[in-house]
Amino acid sequence: MTQPRNFGFGEDETILRDSARKFLADHAGVEALRRLVARDHTVAYESAVPPAPWDETLWQQMVELGWSALAAPERAGGLGMKMVAVAALAEEAGRAALVSPLVTALFATCALRECDTPAATAALRRIAGGEAMALAMTNDRGSWAVEDSDVAAAPSADGAELTGTACFVQDARKARAFVVAARGPAGLGLYVVDADAPGVTVLPDRVIDLTRDQARVRLAGVRVGADRIAAAGDAGAAALRRATPALLTIVAADMCGAGEWQLQTTTAYAQVRKQFDRPLGFFQAVKHPLVNMMLAVDQARSLVYNAACAIDSEPDQAERFARMAKASAGDMAALCSGRSVQLHGGIGFTWECDVHLWFKRQQHNQLLFGDAAYQRARLAALE
């Protein structure tokens, strides 16, 4: 594997990462997270979809910090920062198990910035201004191929009419609009649909991750004006293929942040929990798994930043590096999740122990845009 040119952080990226870490530690710590995901145990959640609460005041603070505008180009009112900065921010979101549409907005931004149209620019401007927007591109079979969509687009006098269902839409109940991939007579296009438009129904799913919500977005003859068609004809499929390395890198960065939290929290626990009058960390049987976790996190993080730098400087290699990063992050997430629960012993998966929140976020992340086996299969096809 070669290393992209300009590998590493610049001053801007370092400042962004450090300020994001401090902001989230001050405003989105574990206590705040627990308040958001706390459940009313009088409700029978086995038969009902849990609520999807989030702190909209905190989201507005993040917007004021420029986080929603980070990946948007300057022509659309964004900051146009490098992908390595986006990865650094996503990593901090994972470290905090952030309950917010930030990562979802980054997905939508990365797809839209590959569409060089006035409609895409207008949508990017909305995201940069703080409107939460989600990417709706997956069919009900859970296909990870960008071309597979169950939504049909029929031409109309003033634009298009969308019918069908987009599934596995992340943070759908927080989104003000969706970037919908829909198949028309000329191929797959991208359409910007407001969440409250006539004919749009959001049907929440039950998901393991308490820090996110997911839903099916049903579209029943939804009218989309020409000024909301971000990519017409088959340009949407091409845009999603170009955006795929960025989507994979963002998820993998989130996983690295969560893995780092699992490592640090488990190490701290091993230093205070005693067995046979000694801290758990004294024993080799505990030291070795912790070292393996550290190595896995470092390897995955290196591949994430390698992929981010390739997106910025060597786009021809970006897909290869991004799939390597997502595959490595998937392995790391499985290892760190398992070990963090095991080394916490009997309390590891109880509601009272924080570990289960990051465990569940990692489980969810592993499947987003394809698990490790899928990424390796696609890598093999690239050879």
PDB file of all heavy atoms in Angstrom, residues 307-331:
ATOM      1  N   ALA A 307      -7.071   6.924   3.987  1.00  0.00           N
ATOM      2  CA  ALA A 307      -8.172   7.057   3.021  1.00  0.00           C
ATOM      3  C   ALA A 307      -8.598   8.511   2.874  1.00  0.00           C
ATOM      4  O   ALA A 307      -8.841   8.988   1.755  1.00  0.00           O
ATOM      5  CB  ALA A 307      -9.356   6.209   3.479  1.00  0.00           C
ATOM      6  N   ALA A 308      -8.685   9.226   3.996  1.00  0.00           N
ATOM      7  CA  ALA A 308      -9.099  10.633   3.932  1.00  0.00           C
ATOM      8  C   ALA A 308      -8.110  11.461   3.116  1.00  0.00           C
ATOM      9  O   ALA A 308      -8.508  12.289   2.292  1.00  0.00           O
ATOM     10  CB  ALA A 308      -9.230  11.197   5.343  1.00  0.00           C
ATOM     11  N   CYS A 309      -6.831  11.228   3.332  1.00  0.00           N
ATOM     12  CA  CYS A 309      -5.822  11.969   2.573  1.00  0.00           C
ATOM     13  C   CYS A 309      -5.857  11.602   1.101  1.00  0.00           C
ATOM     14  O   CYS A 309      -5.626  12.451   0.233  1.00  0.00           O
ATOM     15  CB  CYS A 309      -4.431  11.705   3.161  1.00  0.00           C
ATOM     16  SG  CYS A 309      -4.213  12.380   4.819  1.00  0.00           S
ATOM     17  N   ALA A 310      -6.161  10.326   0.795  1.00  0.00           N
ATOM     18  CA  ALA A 310      -6.264   9.908  -0.606  1.00  0.00           C
ATOM     19  C   ALA A 310      -7.444  10.597  -1.291  1.00  0.00           C
ATOM     20  O   ALA A 310      -7.357  10.986  -2.462  1.00  0.00           O
ATOM     21  CB  ALA A 310      -6.411   8.393  -0.690  1.00  0.00           C
ATOM     22  N   ILE A 311      -8.565  10.744  -0.569  1.00  0.00           N
ATOM     23  CA  ILE A 311      -9.716  11.446  -1.153  1.00  0.00           C
ATOM     24  C   ILE A 311      -9.328  12.872  -1.525  1.00  0.00           C
ATOM     25  O   ILE A 311      -9.733  13.398  -2.564  1.00  0.00           O
ATOM     26  CB  ILE A 311     -10.899  11.435  -0.156  1.00  0.00           C
ATOM     27  CG1 ILE A 311     -11.414  10.006   0.020  1.00  0.00           C
ATOM     28  CG2 ILE A 311     -12.017  12.358  -0.626  1.00  0.00           C
ATOM     29  CD1 ILE A 311     -12.390   9.835   1.169  1.00  0.00           C
ATOM     30  N   ASP A 312      -8.506  13.496  -0.690  1.00  0.00           N
ATOM     31  CA  ASP A 312      -8.090  14.873  -0.948  1.00  0.00           C
ATOM     32  C   ASP A 312      -7.062  14.982  -2.067  1.00  0.00           C
ATOM     33  O   ASP A 312      -7.075  15.935  -2.844  1.00  0.00           O
ATOM     34  CB  ASP A 312      -7.490  15.489   0.325  1.00  0.00           C
ATOM     35  CG  ASP A 312      -8.538  15.738   1.385  1.00  0.00           C
ATOM     36  OD1 ASP A 312      -9.698  15.982   1.016  1.00  0.00           O
ATOM     37  OD2 ASP A 312      -8.192  15.687   2.579  1.00  0.00           O
ATOM     38  N   SER A 313      -6.147  13.989  -2.147  1.00  0.00           N
ATOM     39  CA  SER A 313      -5.000  14.187  -3.033  1.00  0.00           C
ATOM     40  C   SER A 313      -4.842  13.137  -4.127  1.00  0.00           C
ATOM     41  O   SER A 313      -4.200  13.408  -5.139  1.00  0.00           O
ATOM     42  CB  SER A 313      -3.703  14.221  -2.205  1.00  0.00           C
ATOM     43  OG  SER A 313      -3.522  12.992  -1.528  1.00  0.00           O
ATOM     44  N   GLU A 314      -5.422  11.938  -3.942  1.00  0.00           N
ATOM     45  CA  GLU A 314      -5.278  10.878  -4.948  1.00  0.00           C
ATOM     46  C   GLU A 314      -6.612  10.153  -5.116  1.00  0.00           C
ATOM     47  O   GLU A 314      -6.766   9.006  -4.680  1.00  0.00           O
ATOM     48  CB  GLU A 314      -4.189   9.888  -4.520  1.00  0.00           C
ATOM     49  CG  GLU A 314      -2.808  10.508  -4.428  1.00  0.00           C
ATOM     50  CD  GLU A 314      -1.748   9.491  -4.032  1.00  0.00           C
ATOM     51  OE1 GLU A 314      -1.912   8.309  -4.389  1.00  0.00           O
ATOM     52  OE2 GLU A 314      -0.786   9.877  -3.359  1.00  0.00           O
ATOM     53  N   PRO A 315      -7.597  10.818  -5.717  1.00  0.00           N
ATOM     54  CA  PRO A 315      -8.939  10.219  -5.806  1.00  0.00           C
ATOM     55  C   PRO A 315      -8.967   8.881  -6.532  1.00  0.00           C
ATOM     56  O   PRO A 315      -9.865   8.071  -6.277  1.00  0.00           O
ATOM     57  CB  PRO A 315      -9.739  11.298  -6.544  1.00  0.00           C
ATOM     58  CG  PRO A 315      -8.739  12.226  -7.158  1.00  0.00           C
ATOM     59  CD  PRO A 315      -7.532  12.173  -6.306  1.00  0.00           C
ATOM     60  N   ASP A 316      -8.014   8.629  -7.411  1.00  0.00           N
ATOM     61  CA  ASP A 316      -8.010   7.337  -8.118  1.00  0.00           C
ATOM     62  C   ASP A 316      -7.798   6.171  -7.159  1.00  0.00           C
ATOM     63  O   ASP A 316      -8.180   5.029  -7.462  1.00  0.00           O
ATOM     64  CB  ASP A 316      -6.914   7.328  -9.195  1.00  0.00           C
ATOM     65  CG  ASP A 316      -7.236   8.276 -10.338  1.00  0.00           C
ATOM     66  OD1 ASP A 316      -8.397   8.711 -10.426  1.00  0.00           O
ATOM     67  OD2 ASP A 316      -6.324   8.586 -11.118  1.00  0.00           O
ATOM     68  N   GLN A 317      -7.141   6.424  -6.035  1.00  0.00           N
ATOM     69  CA  GLN A 317      -6.865   5.370  -5.060  1.00  0.00           C
ATOM     70  C   GLN A 317      -7.843   5.398  -3.881  1.00  0.00           C
ATOM     71  O   GLN A 317      -7.766   4.561  -2.982  1.00  0.00           O
ATOM     72  CB  GLN A 317      -5.446   5.536  -4.509  1.00  0.00           C
ATOM     73  CG  GLN A 317      -4.351   5.351  -5.530  1.00  0.00           C
ATOM     74  CD  GLN A 317      -4.295   3.906  -6.027  1.00  0.00           C
ATOM     75  OE1 GLN A 317      -4.499   2.960  -5.259  1.00  0.00           O
ATOM     76  NE2 GLN A 317      -4.024   3.730  -7.310  1.00  0.00           N
ATOM     77  N   ALA A 318      -8.748   6.360  -3.892  1.00  0.00           N
ATOM     78  CA  ALA A 318      -9.573   6.599  -2.709  1.00  0.00           C
ATOM     79  C   ALA A 318     -10.468   5.416  -2.361  1.00  0.00           C
ATOM     80  O   ALA A 318     -10.596   5.041  -1.184  1.00  0.00           O
ATOM     81  CB  ALA A 318     -10.407   7.862  -2.920  1.00  0.00           C
ATOM     82  N   GLU A 319     -11.115   4.820  -3.360  1.00  0.00           N
ATOM     83  CA  GLU A 319     -12.024   3.708  -3.049  1.00  0.00           C
ATOM     84  C   GLU A 319     -11.265   2.546  -2.420  1.00  0.00           C
ATOM     85  O   GLU A 319     -11.729   1.938  -1.447  1.00  0.00           O
ATOM     86  CB  GLU A 319     -12.752   3.232  -4.312  1.00  0.00           C
ATOM     87  CG  GLU A 319     -13.725   2.093  -3.999  1.00  0.00           C
ATOM     88  CD  GLU A 319     -14.489   1.596  -5.213  1.00  0.00           C
ATOM     89  OE1 GLU A 319     -14.313   2.182  -6.302  1.00  0.00           O
ATOM     90  OE2 GLU A 319     -15.249   0.620  -5.065  1.00  0.00           O
ATOM     91  N   ARG A 320     -10.115   2.230  -2.966  1.00  0.00           N
ATOM     92  CA  ARG A 320      -9.321   1.128  -2.426  1.00  0.00           C
ATOM     93  C   ARG A 320      -8.987   1.382  -0.949  1.00  0.00           C
ATOM     94  O   ARG A 320      -9.191   0.529  -0.082  1.00  0.00           O
ATOM     95  CB  ARG A 320      -8.036   0.975  -3.248  1.00  0.00           C
ATOM     96  CG  ARG A 320      -7.155  -0.197  -2.846  1.00  0.00           C
ATOM     97  CD  ARG A 320      -5.834  -0.131  -3.607  1.00  0.00           C
ATOM     98  NE  ARG A 320      -6.038   0.034  -5.041  1.00  0.00           N
ATOM     99  CZ  ARG A 320      -6.258  -0.968  -5.875  1.00  0.00           C
ATOM    100  NH1 ARG A 320      -6.271  -2.200  -5.419  1.00  0.00           N
ATOM    101  NH2 ARG A 320      -6.439  -0.731  -7.162  1.00  0.00           N
ATOM    102  N   PHE A 321      -8.476   2.579  -0.654  1.00  0.00           N
ATOM    103  CA  PHE A 321      -8.069   2.876   0.716  1.00  0.00           C
ATOM    104  C   PHE A 321      -9.280   2.960   1.659  1.00  0.00           C
ATOM    105  O   PHE A 321      -9.199   2.563   2.821  1.00  0.00           O
ATOM    106  CB  PHE A 321      -7.278   4.181   0.763  1.00  0.00           C
ATOM    107  CG  PHE A 321      -5.926   4.086   0.092  1.00  0.00           C
ATOM    108  CD1 PHE A 321      -5.348   5.202  -0.501  1.00  0.00           C
ATOM    109  CD2 PHE A 321      -5.243   2.894   0.054  1.00  0.00           C
ATOM    110  CE1 PHE A 321      -4.101   5.122  -1.111  1.00  0.00           C
ATOM    111  CE2 PHE A 321      -3.998   2.802  -0.563  1.00  0.00           C
ATOM    112  CZ  PHE A 321      -3.425   3.917  -1.144  1.00  0.00           C
ATOM    113  N   ALA A 322     -10.390   3.495   1.156  1.00  0.00           N
ATOM    114  CA  ALA A 322     -11.570   3.632   2.014  1.00  0.00           C
ATOM    115  C   ALA A 322     -12.156   2.263   2.375  1.00  0.00           C
ATOM    116  O   ALA A 322     -12.591   2.040   3.510  1.00  0.00           O
ATOM    117  CB  ALA A 322     -12.623   4.487   1.310  1.00  0.00           C
ATOM    118  N   ARG A 323     -12.179   1.346   1.411  1.00  0.00           N
ATOM    119  CA  ARG A 323     -12.694   0.005   1.723  1.00  0.00           C
ATOM    120  C   ARG A 323     -11.755  -0.718   2.691  1.00  0.00           C
ATOM    121  O   ARG A 323     -12.202  -1.475   3.573  1.00  0.00           O
ATOM    122  CB  ARG A 323     -12.909  -0.794   0.438  1.00  0.00           C
ATOM    123  CG  ARG A 323     -14.016  -0.218  -0.440  1.00  0.00           C
ATOM    124  CD  ARG A 323     -14.527  -1.197  -1.473  1.00  0.00           C
ATOM    125  NE  ARG A 323     -15.498  -0.572  -2.360  1.00  0.00           N
ATOM    126  CZ  ARG A 323     -16.783  -0.369  -2.062  1.00  0.00           C
ATOM    127  NH1 ARG A 323     -17.244  -0.764  -0.884  1.00  0.00           N
ATOM    128  NH2 ARG A 323     -17.595   0.206  -2.926  1.00  0.00           N
ATOM    129  N   MET A 324     -10.461  -0.509   2.551  1.00  0.00           N
ATOM    130  CA  MET A 324      -9.517  -1.083   3.517  1.00  0.00           C
ATOM    131  C   MET A 324      -9.779  -0.518   4.915  1.00  0.00           C
ATOM    132  O   MET A 324      -9.759  -1.255   5.913  1.00  0.00           O
ATOM    133  CB  MET A 324      -8.082  -0.776   3.089  1.00  0.00           C
ATOM    134  CG  MET A 324      -7.650  -1.500   1.816  1.00  0.00           C
ATOM    135  SD  MET A 324      -6.068  -0.923   1.165  1.00  0.00           S
ATOM    136  CE  MET A 324      -4.968  -1.457   2.451  1.00  0.00           C
ATOM    137  N   ALA A 325     -10.034   0.778   4.984  1.00  0.00           N
ATOM    138  CA  ALA A 325     -10.281   1.404   6.285  1.00  0.00           C
ATOM    139  C   ALA A 325     -11.559   0.875   6.925  1.00  0.00           C
ATOM    140  O   ALA A 325     -11.593   0.575   8.120  1.00  0.00           O
ATOM    141  CB  ALA A 325     -10.373   2.922   6.111  1.00  0.00           C
ATOM    142  N   LYS A 326     -12.627   0.744   6.118  1.00  0.00           N
ATOM    143  CA  LYS A 326     -13.901   0.257   6.678  1.00  0.00           C
ATOM    144  C   LYS A 326     -13.778  -1.195   7.119  1.00  0.00           C
ATOM    145  O   LYS A 326     -14.324  -1.590   8.161  1.00  0.00           O
ATOM    146  CB  LYS A 326     -15.011   0.405   5.633  1.00  0.00           C
ATOM    147  CG  LYS A 326     -16.403  -0.019   6.116  1.00  0.00           C
ATOM    148  CD  LYS A 326     -16.896   0.843   7.255  1.00  0.00           C
ATOM    149  CE  LYS A 326     -18.387   0.686   7.554  1.00  0.00           C
ATOM    150  NZ  LYS A 326     -18.838  -0.640   7.885  1.00  0.00           N
ATOM    151  N   ALA A 327     -13.056  -2.011   6.349  1.00  0.00           N
ATOM    152  CA  ALA A 327     -12.865  -3.415   6.735  1.00  0.00           C
ATOM    153  C   ALA A 327     -12.067  -3.501   8.037  1.00  0.00           C
ATOM    154  O   ALA A 327     -12.423  -4.260   8.958  1.00  0.00           O
ATOM    155  CB  ALA A 327     -12.143  -4.167   5.613  1.00  0.00           C
ATOM    156  N   SER A 328     -11.001  -2.742   8.138  1.00  0.00           N
ATOM    157  CA  SER A 328     -10.187  -2.771   9.349  1.00  0.00           C
ATOM    158  C   SER A 328     -10.971  -2.244  10.548  1.00  0.00           C
ATOM    159  O   SER A 328     -10.889  -2.800  11.655  1.00  0.00           O
ATOM    160  CB  SER A 328      -8.920  -1.926   9.139  1.00  0.00           C
ATOM    161  OG  SER A 328      -8.130  -1.921  10.306  1.00  0.00           O
ATOM    162  N   ALA A 329     -11.735  -1.188  10.334  1.00  0.00           N
ATOM    163  CA  ALA A 329     -12.546  -0.638  11.420  1.00  0.00           C
ATOM    164  C   ALA A 329     -13.604  -1.643  11.878  1.00  0.00           C
ATOM    165  O   ALA A 329     -13.926  -1.713  13.066  1.00  0.00           O
ATOM    166  CB  ALA A 329     -13.205   0.668  10.979  1.00  0.00           C
ATOM    167  N   GLY A 330     -14.130  -2.417  10.938  1.00  0.00           N
ATOM    168  CA  GLY A 330     -15.109  -3.439  11.311  1.00  0.00           C
ATOM    169  C   GLY A 330     -14.497  -4.498  12.205  1.00  0.00           C
ATOM    170  O   GLY A 330     -15.091  -4.914  13.214  1.00  0.00           O
ATOM    171  N   ASP A 331     -13.309  -4.951  11.853  1.00  0.00           N
ATOM    172  CA  ASP A 331     -12.612  -5.932  12.692  1.00  0.00           C
ATOM    173  C   ASP A 331     -12.308  -5.344  14.068  1.00  0.00           C
ATOM    174  O   ASP A 331     -12.467  -6.010  15.095  1.00  0.00           O
ATOM    175  CB  ASP A 331     -11.305  -6.365  12.017  1.00  0.00           C
ATOM    176  CG  ASP A 331     -11.546  -7.151  10.742  1.00  0.00           C
ATOM    177  OD1 ASP A 331     -12.670  -7.655  10.550  1.00  0.00           O
ATOM    178  OD2 ASP A 331     -10.606  -7.244   9.926  1.00  0.00           O
TER     179      ASP A 331
END
